[in-house]
Amino acid sequence: MNTHEKRGKVWLAVSGLVKSNDGHWLVVKKRYGGLKGQWSLPAGFVNEGETADEAVVREVKEETGIDCKVKGLLGLRTGVIRGEISDNLLVFLLEPTGKLTITHQDKELYEARFMAPEELSIEKDASILLHYLIQENLSVIKAGANDINPGDQFGYTSYKLFF
């Protein structure tokens, strides 16, 4: 089953900008898809039964072995593929919580490493999104709020706001 069949026509994915203490960014080089052979942020789809912020922590851990916590939401990349698939990506800012020892997922990635934004800015194989984020002022972070209940009538088992 390919991504189109598995995900339907509305996709929700997440991506994490993991910054080390010295300001380097965790980037990966994918073996597949539209970003094959390009440096990009670790990313993946949100699974059933998890929130987007849980998904990004899981994806970064699966792809790179790095444990992280969410600092906040940076923004949204949204588009339509071939006039029919709604492709949505939430980009989170993450902070490493443990060792910065990378153990990348060989099946999905050629490589994973921390790189300085200055180095990435001149890298011909860096994704468009990376180039855009390097140019942006990333000081506006939407922190998450966990202690909100919109009402028991909705039946939420997890509810978070990023505003």
Side-chain angles (χ1 to χ4, degrees):
M1 180 181 289
N2 67 31
T3 299
H4 300 282
E5 295 165 351
K6 184 176 174 185
R7 300 286 170 197
K9 296 202 184 259
V10 179
W11 296 353
L12 180 58
V14 289
S15 186
L17 172 52
V18 181
K19 285 187 180 183
S20 66
N21 287 337
D22 60 2
H24 287 60
W25 294 10
L26 179 62
V27 291
V28 299
K29 200 174 259 197
K30 299 220 185 270
R31 290 185 180 269
Y32 64 93
L35 292 173
K36 181 178 181 178
Q38 290 186 39
W39 291 110
S40 61
L41 297 175
F45 288 104
V46 178
N47 290 333
E48 292 177 23
E50 69 182 350
T51 60
D53 58 304
E54 291 167 346
V56 74
V57 169
R58 174 185 52 77
E59 282 291 344
V60 169
K61 175 72 173 177
E62 286 176 4
E63 289 188 1
T64 69
I66 302 287
D67 289 305
C68 295
K69 68 178 179 180
V70 172
K71 298 292 290 177
L73 180 66
L74 286 172
L76 164 71
R77 190 267 297 135
T78 185
V80 177
I81 299 171
R82 289 184 283 287
E84 63 177 352
I85 297 170
S86 175
D87 181 22
N88 304 284
L89 176 77
L90 295 168
V91 181
F92 288 91
L93 177 63
L94 303 175
E95 180 180 291
T97 58
K99 293 181 182 168
L100 298 183
T101 306
I102 295 172
T103 53
H104 77 272
Q105 194 176 54
D106 278 333
K107 186 177 74 178
E108 291 189 13
L109 304 176
Y110 289 116
E111 194 177 349
R113 69 167 115 137
F114 281 94
M115 292 176 75
E118 303 77 36
E119 186 182 355
L120 284 167
S121 70
I122 57 172
E123 175 61 56
K124 67 176 177 52
D125 290 331
S127 71
I128 295 294
L129 180 60
L130 273 179
H131 282 289
Y132 183 82
L133 289 172
I134 290 165
Q135 301 304 316
E136 279 299 294
N137 176 358
L138 300 179
S139 62
V140 179
I141 310 298
K142 305 292 188 182
N146 296 317
D147 54 353
I148 297 165
N149 182 351
D152 293 338
Q153 73 274 22
F154 294 108
Y156 283 103
T157 54
S158 184
Y159 187 86
K160 300 173 184 180
L161 297 176
F162 290 86
F163 285 99

